[in-house]
Amino acid sequence: MARQTTLYRYLTGTDDASFCHRVSEALSRGWVLYGHPTLTFDAKEQRVVCGQAIIKDVEGAYAPDLKLSEQ
């Protein structure tokens, strides 16, 4: 019987269009938002940093060498 695994990623980056495009690309590849986005301020770099957890169910067993960004 095929096994199903839930993959988890946490995307982070400067709060700009580039970050939004990374999240949008992941959503278009079947990833789903998991929880609320987070924001923090990097005082050293004077920028807002955001993060978003995403998950995706895939067939097969989990393996630590799985390249999550290629799923």
Side-chain angles (χ1 to χ4, degrees), residues 45-64:
E45 298 294 325
Q46 293 292 299
R47 65 188 180 128
V48 175
V49 178
C50 52
Q52 176 63 59
I54 56 176
I55 60 172
K56 182 177 184 180
D57 291 330
V58 296
E59 293 300 321
Y62 171 76

Side-chain angles (χ1 to χ4, degrees), residues 11 14 16-28:
L11 303 176
T14 301
D16 59 11
S18 175
F19 177 78
C20 295
H21 283 287
R22 286 180 54 216
V23 174
S24 296
E25 178 185 14
L27 295 175
S28 74

Side-chain angles (χ1 to χ4, degrees), residues 6 9 11 13-14 27 29-30 34 36 41 44 52 56 63:
T6 300
R9 292 176 66 193
L11 303 176
T14 301
L27 295 175
R29 297 177 77 189
Y34 183 76
H36 298 287
F41 183 72
K44 181 179 177 185
Q52 176 63 59
K56 182 177 184 180

